[in-house]
Amino acid sequence: MEVVASIMKDYIIELLKDGKRIDGRGLEDYRELEVKTNVIEKAEGSAWVKLGNTQVMVGIKADVGEPFPDLPNMGVMTTNVELVPLASPTFEPGPPDERSIELARVVDRGIRESQAIDLEKLVIVPGKLVRIIFIDVHVLDHDGNLVDAAGIGAMAALLSTKLPKIEYNEETGELVKLDEYEPLPVRKIPIPVSFAKIRDNLLVDPNLEEEHVMDGKITITTDENGYISAVQKSEGGSFKLEELMYAIDIASKRAGEIRKVVLDSLNKE
Amino acid sequence: MMEKPEELKLLDEKGYRIDGRKKYELRKIDMKIGVLKNANGSAYVEWGKNKILAAVYGPREIHPKHLQRSDRAILRVRYNMAPFSVEERKKPGPDRRSVEISKVIRGALEPALILELFPRTSIDVFIEVLQADAGTRVAGIVAASLALADAGIPMKDLVSACAAGKIEDELVLDLNKEEDNYGSADVPVAIMPIKNDITLLQMDGYLTKEEFLEAVKLAIKGAKAVYQKQREALKEKYLNIISEEE
């Protein structure tokens, strides 16, 4: 494994001297992106994402529960990522490891901090009962850049989510699910875009081979208003301020293109 | 982030913060090196109300053995909060936040080390947060970096760190707990100051690109000030030893 990685590293670096990548892309090119929504009928919302050969499935489930004590008038969202062994020889069954925890938390921050979901609209009884939105990311095939695939899938799934209307009977304290559905209130579409750093090069949307040899990685989540809602430098390596400025610029450009693919997928349903 | 009580003002009319600091002022920072007997290197950092202990063991034999790398040492980092370190008792052991912080701190320290020097070994960094008051990850990095130096592990540079954030629509340096809770962004940054390399960068909040870059630059300035304190702390310990020998 280490020998292969070191030969591959030399090859990747050699190509980068001419601005080339092993799959023929330029440094700023994203892989082909396919998004399909509402692919799981049992889920309130869902999306399947194929980014190059990386595949993820995201399902949204909704429940009713208590709000956080410090945020009594807001619904709850949680994000979870499962790296199931079917997706890669390096994934093992068991509780979430640091990779899946970091992945989930970066995706979560991008959505939460941009207030993409209007959580105030998810209150049923203020301070007592609110909707809980579960974003569950299931990685199916790992060929690099899981953060972007998961983040794109999460937004597509949220946008496709329809919740059954709920009536609360004050006298009996009972909840009644109606046969009417309303869309989840989604206000923004934050999109994460990641870069691998290899020597002095920044490569957008790294594939798995590039991730194996990269020094470090950075993810920047931007929304349609040009705001940044999450940044995460990950793994080793280091970045210069100029590289960061470049990455922010490219990230918001790529995010704009990705957002279109996500919106198109909803129209195709 | 919590809902801010209406009456709470994080910045007064004169531009002072609730703990009396100006916008770009750091909290008081104290550093002590070599505070533990067993560890190969250690450091204790008090940063505002943060009290943080870091220890380094290694390079040493790895357990479990299969983690061994034939071409280099592996770096392991464990960031852990004591149950009594926060207002409401924290359940002992790693939660999701600690797992993520441990991972990004490892990524922040690794570029400073020359792991190829110690094949088949591990260098283990333990960070214990004894009291937390916002900015524990940056304070943890500062302490860990000192502990690595104290352990005599060759480093390209010390890693220094500081956070910037946004409160009441203004960018400020080094958030305290209330500012972190009720502010609108937190940007922790770690750097290797000699070459201006950023080794940790996170953002939790909602900022324009311009604001974000300003926050990063501000945090870098803070980290450079902390760096001077780190150097002084190391000198204080090791120059004294030299003068005693003379």
Side-chain angles (χ1 to χ4, degrees):
Chain A
M1 193 66 189
E2 285 164 32
V3 179
V4 175
S6 126
I7 293 169
M8 186 56 91
K9 182 163 195 168
D10 293 343
Y11 179 53
I12 287 175
I13 289 167
E14 202 53 43
L15 281 174
L16 282 171
K17 285 179 186 159
D18 300 323
K20 287 183 186 153
R21 296 169 70 172
I22 39 171
D23 54 10
R25 279 186 290 161
L27 300 190
E28 297 177 1
D29 295 341
Y30 220 76
R31 286 174 290 181
E32 197 186 329
L33 174 66
E34 243 185 291
V35 181
K36 282 189 186 137
T37 47
N38 276 324
V39 283
I40 304 289
E41 289 88 348
K42 300 254 171 173
E44 279 81 346
S46 60
W48 167 84
V49 171
K50 187 160 192 267
L51 174 57
N53 287 316
T54 288
Q55 291 184 60
V56 304
M57 182 78 85
V58 182
I60 310 293
K61 295 297 292 176
D63 201 351
V64 173
E66 281 177 30
F68 287 116
D70 50 342
L71 296 168
N73 296 317
M74 282 199 181
V76 174
M77 69 165 259
T78 83
T79 309
N80 183 59
V81 175
E82 272 193 75
L83 302 176
V84 291
L86 147 147
S88 162
T90 66
F91 296 167
E92 286 182 26
D97 66 1
E98 57 170 30
R99 287 182 296 184
S100 80
I101 290 173
E102 184 186 32
L103 190 44
R105 289 177 63 88
V106 174
V107 170
D108 187 277
R109 277 205 283 277
I111 299 171
R112 186 181 303 278
E113 297 299 332
S114 68
Q115 301 185 8
I117 306 176
D118 189 352
L119 294 175
E120 286 171 21
K121 293 218 173 99
L122 300 181
V123 177
I124 302 165
V125 183
K128 292 211 171 77
L129 283 179
V130 298
R131 289 196 197 260
I132 303 174
I133 305 296
F134 293 93
I135 304 172
D136 283 297
V137 179
H138 228 67
V139 174
L140 305 179
D141 212 356
H142 176 20
D143 195 35
N145 201 7
L146 294 178
V147 180
D148 292 13
I152 295 165
M155 282 321 301
L158 288 168
L159 286 161
S160 77
T161 298
K162 297 204 170 49
L163 302 172
K165 284 191 178 170
I166 289 179
E167 261 184 8
Y168 177 71
N169 186 323
E170 276 183 33
E171 279 164 27
T172 60
E174 267 176 34
L175 288 174
V176 185
K177 266 192 197 179
L178 303 181
D179 211 16
E180 268 175 83
Y181 288 80
E182 55 190 357
L184 181 72
V186 178
R187 304 186 278 199
K188 286 178 196 137
I189 310 181
I191 299 286
V193 173
S194 299
F195 301 80
K197 177 147 180 204
I198 303 178
R199 291 282 169 89
D200 290 327
N201 304 283
L202 287 188
L203 292 70
V204 78
D205 179 29
N207 64 34
L208 189 61
E209 281 157 323
E210 291 167 338
E211 284 188 353
H212 274 150
V213 304
M214 71 184 173
D215 303 305
K217 193 172 148 180
I218 193 161
T219 302
I220 296 159
T221 307
T222 51
D223 69 10
E224 51 270 65
N225 304 329
Y227 275 74
I228 303 177
S229 60
V231 174
Q232 181 94 339
K233 183 251 166 190
S234 192
E235 310 302 331
S238 63
F239 293 83
K240 304 276 187 204
L241 198 56
E242 301 73 47
E243 291 173 328
L244 179 61
M245 290 160 74
Y246 166 81
I248 291 172
D249 183 43
I250 301 296
S252 75
K253 282 183 188 153
R254 290 298 91 84
E257 295 153 12
I258 294 164
R259 208 168 284 121
K260 283 201 189 98
V261 178
V262 170
L263 289 171
D264 280 349
S265 76
L266 293 158
N267 297 334
K268 268 184 208 151
E269 270 175 30
Chain B
M1 244 153 263
M2 294 183 228
E3 280 176 52
K4 191 175 76 124
E6 292 257 337
E7 67 283 0
L8 181 67
K9 271 259 176 290
L10 293 174
L11 268 180
D12 70 15
E13 310 77 44
K14 288 180 181 158
Y16 285 97
R17 295 154 71 174
I18 42 174
D19 55 10
R21 280 184 293 157
K22 293 186 188 142
K23 283 197 294 186
Y24 303 148
E25 195 177 333
L26 286 167
R27 288 175 282 182
K28 188 171 181 293
I29 304 176
D30 279 314
M31 306 175 186
K32 254 201 192 120
I33 291 163
V35 293
L36 301 174
K37 176 180 154 285
N38 279 328
N40 297 107
S42 60
Y44 175 67
V45 171
E46 281 194 5
W47 183 326
K49 288 181 202 155
N50 289 308
K51 297 181 197 295
I52 292 171
L53 199 50
V56 170
Y57 284 81
R60 64 177 177 180
E61 225 177 289
I62 302 186
H63 297 288
K65 272 242 167 2
H66 67 89
L67 294 174
Q68 235 178 43
R69 294 284 303 264
S70 60
D71 56 342
R72 60 181 184 91
I74 62 162
L75 174 66
R76 293 189 285 199
V77 174
R78 183 178 193 264
Y79 163 101
N80 185 50
M81 289 179 96
F84 48 77
S85 64
V86 278
E87 212 69 46
E88 294 231 347
R89 179 176 184 269
K90 188 200 158 288
K91 214 172 120 227
D95 55 8
R96 288 169 70 87
R97 175 179 168 277
S98 310
V99 170
E100 185 198 350
I101 292 179
S102 300
K103 186 172 186 290
V104 293
I105 292 181
R106 187 178 76 222
L109 297 173
E110 205 177 83
L113 302 176
I114 310 161
L115 296 173
E116 293 78 13
L117 292 175
F118 308 105
R120 298 180 192 284
T121 66
S122 74
I123 296 169
D124 296 316
V125 176
F126 301 105
I127 298 168
E128 290 294 328
V129 178
L130 305 177
Q131 183 164 279
D133 194 62
T136 57
R137 83 192 64 187
V138 289
I141 288 169
V142 168
S145 171
L146 291 171
L148 283 162
D150 184 44
I153 291 171
M155 293 165 83
K156 295 174 189 161
D157 194 358
L158 284 171
V159 182
S160 192
C162 191
K166 190 178 169 188
I167 56 168
E168 312 278 6
D169 237 20
E170 299 262 11
L171 293 176
V172 297
L173 190 64
D174 186 23
L175 302 182
N176 65 32
K177 191 68 202 159
E178 287 82 5
E179 293 170 339
D180 188 33
N181 283 351
Y182 305 120
S184 54
D186 179 26
V187 182
V189 177
I191 55 168
M192 294 196 289
I194 295 176
K195 294 175 93 177
N196 281 316
D197 287 318
I198 300 168
T199 67
L200 175 130
L201 176 60
Q202 293 181 285
M203 203 271 280
D204 190 349
Y206 194 59
L207 297 178
T208 65
K209 293 167 195 168
E210 294 74 24
E211 283 175 327
F212 171 68
L213 284 169
E214 275 315 303
V216 174
K217 286 181 195 161
L218 185 57
I220 289 176
K221 271 195 194 156
K224 285 187 172 169
V226 175
Y227 183 66
Q228 292 312 323
K229 291 178 196 276
Q230 285 175 293
R231 291 173 53 119
E232 280 160 28
L234 282 167
K235 278 185 193 160
E236 194 180 317
K237 179 175 176 195
Y238 287 103
L239 291 182
N240 282 344
I241 291 174
I242 293 165
S243 57
E244 275 165 28
E245 280 173 359
E246 280 167 357

